[in-house]
Amino acid sequence: MSESQLSPLKRAFLALEAAEARATALETAAREPIAVIGVGCRVPGADDPAAFWQVLADGIDATREVPAERWDAAAIHDPDADVPGRVVTRRGGFLREVDRFDAAFFNISPREAQAMDPQQRLLLEVAWEALEHAGQAPDRLGHSRTGVFVGVCTSDYAYLQIRHGAARLDAHYASGIAHSITSGRLSYLLGLQAPA
């Protein structure tokens, strides 16, 4: 018997059964456990998950004096919190070797790598390390329906580049500092076919 030959009540019942089956499938999927099988990280005081755990376990203060190559802390420091335009501390949490990046490994030209916000560089490195940690061959993810979702915060690097003058800005500047590019850069590297 074709669907058009069924009574309206029987069609409604079948449609209700199908909707209930879809709802049950969605509820089951929402309760599926999530397994974290690979981890990578860079945090002040630790360049990998094991070192980060040690920092936490030992209660280490991973802050330090502002490195001279970052900025002149003395020029903006004032112990009086009420002084406008100044900071009350000379300490901060800093990543080591944030300027180091193996652009060739990621098939990125040196010029493009220089224009990339360190947050983009770190994402590529840490994501690759997390895949290795998971025993997942990055080249096997190509064309998979794997999504990339990333949170990015500051635009400091864009301001630093602008401060050096327009002559240093090139075709890679916009993609190098745009937060919207970050997840897409990783997705493109791995050849992923899901939302980024």
Side-chain angles (χ1 to χ4, degrees), residues 15 19 22 32 34 44 48 57 66 82 95-97 104 112 117 119 122 132 137 146 149 164 167 181 189:
R22 285 192 304 274
E32 283 292 317
I34 295 173
D48 59 58
V66 175
D82 293 326
L95 300 181
R96 290 183 334 100
E97 300 180 343
E112 182 177 5
D117 187 312
Q119 294 174 103
L122 287 166
E132 286 180 338
T146 303
F149 303 91
H164 289 296
I181 297 294
L189 171 74

Side-chain angles (χ1 to χ4, degrees), residues 16-132:
L16 182 59
E17 276 188 332
E20 285 177 344
R22 285 192 304 274
T24 299
L26 289 172
E27 287 173 2
T28 300
R31 287 191 302 258
E32 283 292 317
I34 295 173
V36 177
I37 60 170
V39 180
C41 71
R42 296 280 192 295
V43 296
D47 294 332
D48 59 58
F52 181 48
W53 178 252
Q54 202 60 54
V55 165
L56 295 174
D58 294 345
I60 294 171
D61 177 0
T63 67
R64 60 186 169 127
E65 291 285 325
V66 175
E69 67 272 9
R70 293 294 178 95
W71 67 81
D72 181 5
I76 60 171
H77 176 261
D78 194 305
D80 182 355
D82 293 326
V83 175
R86 301 290 180 201
V87 295
V88 297
T89 184
R90 294 176 190 237
R91 299 182 64 80
F94 297 92
L95 300 181
R96 290 183 334 100
E97 300 180 343
V98 72
D99 58 335
R100 307 257 173 133
F101 179 67
D102 188 353
F105 180 83
F106 294 103
N107 201 26
I108 295 172
S109 73
R111 189 170 174 181
E112 182 177 5
Q114 184 179 359
M116 286 171 60
D117 187 312
Q119 294 174 103
Q120 290 186 20
R121 295 184 221 146
L122 287 166
L123 172 67
L124 295 178
E125 292 172 342
V126 171
W128 195 273
E129 289 169 12
L131 290 170
E132 286 180 338

Side-chain angles (χ1 to χ4, degrees), residues 136-184:
Q136 181 69 253
D139 60 343
R140 295 190 61 210
L141 290 174
H143 305 293
S144 69
R145 293 196 42 77
T146 303
V148 178
F149 303 91
V150 176
V152 181
C153 55
T154 67
S155 297
D156 299 0
Y157 197 68
Y159 300 130
L160 286 172
Q161 290 201 28
I162 290 170
R163 193 171 69 188
H164 289 296
R168 287 192 53 189
L169 304 182
D170 63 13
H172 301 293
Y173 173 73
S175 62
I177 56 98
H179 292 168
S180 59
I181 297 294
T182 307
S183 60

